[in-house]
Amino acid sequence: MNHPPRRSTSADRPPLQSKRLLDQLRERIRYLHYSLKTEEAYLFWSRAYIRFHGVRHPKDMGAAEVEAFLTHLTNVRRVSVSTHKQALSALLFLYREVIGVDLPWMNEMARPTAPRRIPSVLTIDEVAAVLSRMEGETGLLARLLYGTGMRLMEGLRLRVKDLDIPRKVITVREAKGGKDRVVMLPQVLATPMSAQLDKAHAIWAADRAAQQSGVETPHALDRKYPRAGQTWAWFWVFPSPTLATDPRSGVIRRHHLYEQRLQRALKLAVTEAGIAKPVSVHTLRHSFATHLLQGGTDIRTVQELLGHSDVSTTMIYTHVLKIAAGTTRSPLDALLAA
């Protein structure tokens, strides 16, 4: 959800139409195509910053006020490193993209570093135990995420046009960092995914018959091709069973499956399987990477499948394997064997 502050030039920065500051912030965020979650976060932290300083306008404040606010978050509210970074990113965006002030001190602002955590990983048997307790759409989605290494929202936002069942290929569009990548479609999921497409097509056909608005399309595609969102190619592979109001446009349309449905189903399956480890949907992605490396897949291939920009990010899974593989022997074992 965190986007690095983007420097704009006068050429790609149109005049703001809104009069109120937070409306201007929202306008700029949408112009730069940031996600709804990023919009909500940036609005939240900008509002919190303004209220913290007695509803003063940010243009009348500077380094001292920003540092005081961030220090308060760290020392009083004790927010996490990721939350601190998110608040700082929001303020950087507010000053640079909305107020139009790029102050030198903002580039020198201290950024906390998060400690490197070893990810929680399930064994192959534990994955099997969890997946065997999941059925229906959530079960299929969990298998897809484990079988491809996709993130939760990448799986939920999968479009029909990006699923190539005959070639066993999935194209992940605009993933983290705005990059596209290609992942494999597991052979065992070819038939279940075909059945899922049949279910999705029935929903799409019903929406068209009812003349419902088309699904959301990225960026300005709906202006260039107004009917693109109504086509089968752009429909969700995992559509929501109900219609909902788009929070930005106010249009009532079909969204993808709600993420908490999978989160709840996975949590229940983990409990039923008697697994005491901390497990989230992202654990399936961690397990995918670890099991590939364990099976002999080279780390560069795993890096590409995960969409990591730097191989050092992928290297964290090798630390899990070193101990799990039993290659490092405890001195206690040697002592007792003597």
Side-chain angles (χ1 to χ4, degrees):
M1 182 172 66
N2 292 336
H3 290 266
R6 168 182 163 178
R7 292 180 180 273
S8 296
T9 63
S10 56
D12 65 356
R13 188 173 178 171
L16 292 164
Q17 303 299 315
S18 305
K19 301 301 181 184
R20 301 179 62 183
L21 179 67
L22 293 182
D23 289 338
Q24 291 176 340
L25 175 60
R26 185 181 290 108
E27 181 182 334
R28 184 64 74 207
I29 289 171
R30 294 182 182 182
Y31 171 76
L32 294 175
H33 306 304
Y34 282 11
S35 70
L36 178 60
K37 288 187 176 181
T38 300
E39 177 181 323
E40 293 171 345
Y42 281 16
L43 285 167
F44 173 83
W45 289 118
S46 297
R47 193 179 290 115
Y49 170 64
I50 293 169
R51 289 175 177 172
F52 179 79
H53 289 294
V55 201
R56 293 170 61 193
H57 198 287
K59 69 181 180 181
D60 299 324
M61 299 186 282
E65 288 80 7
V66 172
E67 289 179 349
F69 177 66
L70 295 175
T71 299
H72 170 77
L73 293 182
T74 301
N75 297 337
V76 179
R77 293 187 54 182
R78 298 190 179 279
V79 300
S80 66
V81 171
S82 61
T83 300
H84 187 281
K85 286 183 176 179
Q86 185 187 83
L88 175 56
S89 295
L91 298 184
L92 287 170
F93 186 94
L94 175 66
Y95 275 97
R96 285 177 175 158
E97 300 293 344
V98 180
I99 300 175
V101 176
D102 191 4
L103 301 176
W105 56 261
M106 300 194 80
N107 297 322
E108 301 169 3
M109 188 73 67
R111 291 167 172 79
T113 56
R116 199 67 176 268
R117 304 294 186 190
I118 299 295
S120 176
V121 174
L122 299 175
T123 66
I124 293 177
D125 288 341
E126 287 172 334
V127 171
V130 170
L131 295 182
S132 67
R133 290 168 170 79
M134 301 183 70
E135 300 176 346
E137 278 187 322
T138 54
L140 176 58
L141 184 55
R143 289 169 175 81
L144 183 67
L145 297 186
Y146 169 68
T148 62
M150 288 194 294
R151 300 175 179 89
L152 171 58
M153 296 311 297
E154 291 171 350
L156 291 175
R157 291 172 179 161
L158 188 61
R159 311 272 187 167
V160 172
K161 67 183 183 63
D162 297 321
L163 177 61
D164 190 339
I165 294 179
R167 293 177 56 230
K168 307 297 185 295
V169 167
I170 297 174
T171 304
V172 182
R173 303 286 184 185
E174 293 190 84
K176 192 173 182 179
K179 300 173 295 184
D180 293 353
R181 73 180 190 278
V182 175
V183 298
M184 77 289 276
L185 172 65
Q187 177 70 38
V188 295
L189 294 185
T191 299
M193 289 300 290
S194 294
Q196 177 62 30
L197 285 181
D198 291 340
K199 294 178 183 177
H201 191 274
I203 296 174
W204 171 79
D207 284 353
R208 298 281 57 76
Q211 297 184 334
Q212 296 288 352
S213 298
V215 298
E216 179 188 15
T217 53
H219 308 331
L221 189 69
D222 57 340
R223 290 197 295 270
K224 189 174 182 180
Y225 303 106
R227 305 179 75 79
Q230 299 176 12
T231 63
W232 167 237
W234 279 96
F235 201 65
W236 309 113
V237 174
F238 294 97
S240 169
T242 58
L243 299 173
T245 302
D246 189 309
R248 285 181 165 173
S249 65
V251 175
I252 298 176
R253 56 163 51 114
R254 182 83 55 181
H255 295 277
H256 54 67
L257 203 66
Y258 190 42
E259 58 254 44
Q260 286 195 358
R261 288 192 61 179
L262 177 59
Q263 291 165 345
R264 288 194 294 262
L266 180 65
K267 183 178 180 180
L268 180 61
V270 169
T271 301
E272 291 178 350
I275 297 173
K277 297 176 182 178
V279 177
S280 67
V281 174
H282 211 65
T283 304
L284 298 175
R285 176 175 162 89
H286 293 322
S287 303
F288 162 85
T290 304
H291 297 163
L292 279 183
L293 291 171
Q294 197 171 22
T297 304
D298 67 276
I299 195 165
R300 290 291 183 181
T301 300
V302 177
Q303 177 193 354
E304 292 175 0
L305 290 172
L306 294 176
H308 288 162
S309 299
D310 195 327
V311 72
S312 64
T313 307
T314 318
M315 288 290 290
I316 191 68
Y317 300 109
T318 64
H319 300 307
V320 179
L321 286 176
K322 284 179 182 178
I323 302 302
T327 55
T328 304
R329 190 183 185 194
S330 170
L332 179 62
D333 291 328
L335 176 67
L336 295 180

